[in-house]
Amino acid sequence: MLHTLETKQFIKSDIKTAWEFLSSPKNLATITPEYMGFEILNNLHGDKMYAGQIIEYYVKPILGIKLHWVTEITHVKQNEFFVDEQRFGPYSFWHHKHFLKEVNGGVEMHDIIHYKLPFGVFGKIGNALFVKKQLKEVFDYRYKKIEILFNN
């Protein structure tokens, strides 16, 4: 069973500035809670995101346990959207769509995450007990950081 998390946020910015910040893998640590210990491990081959880009990193999502995670940027349409998919990591499936759209006075950011945990029924229990809550916390943190960076 796939789980879905969906978020929307208004950003007081022009599309170019919002895109440059949000589509740069180098800014991921800025919008990720410090306790997650987010650390990029590989050479990103430039500052710009591109389809086929591999991002390898460590995160510590549970009890400070360091997990190895590899995502691929599978689709990029400049100033509109990008998609990252997990290739190796804690989920049995992870697909994250990031949409940006110019709206009156700024930019609307819309994220749709589909994910599935391993371990069958135990994964479902883990999602109900803590994973869903933690993902929401991570995206709430990102929301607050973007408010500080763009909307103050």
Side-chain angles (χ1 to χ4, degrees), residues 8-19 22 79-80 99-110 146-147 150-151:
K8 285 189 179 182
Q9 182 171 8
F10 174 79
I11 302 171
K12 291 181 193 170
S13 177
D14 61 277
I15 193 78
K16 183 177 186 282
T17 303
W19 176 263
L22 295 165
N79 297 330
E80 290 186 34
F99 296 100
L100 295 176
K101 177 174 71 172
E102 264 186 309
V103 295
N104 189 21
V107 174
E108 179 186 81
M109 177 174 63
H110 182 192
I146 289 171
E147 285 292 309
F150 287 94
N151 295 347

Side-chain angles (χ1 to χ4, degrees), residues 22-23 25 28 38 49-55 57 69-76 81-87 91 93-99 111-115 139 142:
L22 295 165
S23 69
L28 284 170
F38 183 88
M49 176 183 291
Y50 56 90
Q53 184 176 35
I54 299 294
I55 305 170
Y57 48 94
W69 197 337
V70 177
T71 57
E72 178 182 356
I73 305 302
T74 57
H75 301 81
V76 177
F81 70 89
F82 62 95
V83 178
D84 66 84
E85 297 181 17
Q86 176 190 278
R87 293 296 175 239
Y91 295 90
F93 181 83
W94 176 272
H95 186 269
H96 181 181
K97 297 175 279 204
H98 312 249
F99 296 100
D111 286 270
I112 304 170
I113 302 101
H114 292 94
Y115 66 96
F139 279 87
R142 184 185 76 166

Side-chain angles (χ1 to χ4, degrees), residues 6 18 32 36 50-51 60-62 65 67 74 105 120 123-124 130 138:
E6 192 166 349
T32 302
M36 296 277 297
Y50 56 90
K60 299 176 187 175
I62 302 168
I65 299 168
L67 298 176
T74 57
K124 289 179 188 178
F130 60 88
V138 168

Side-chain angles (χ1 to χ4, degrees), residues 90-92 116-124:
Y91 295 90
S92 58
K116 182 178 180 183
L117 296 168
F119 311 119
V121 69
F122 298 109
K124 289 179 188 178

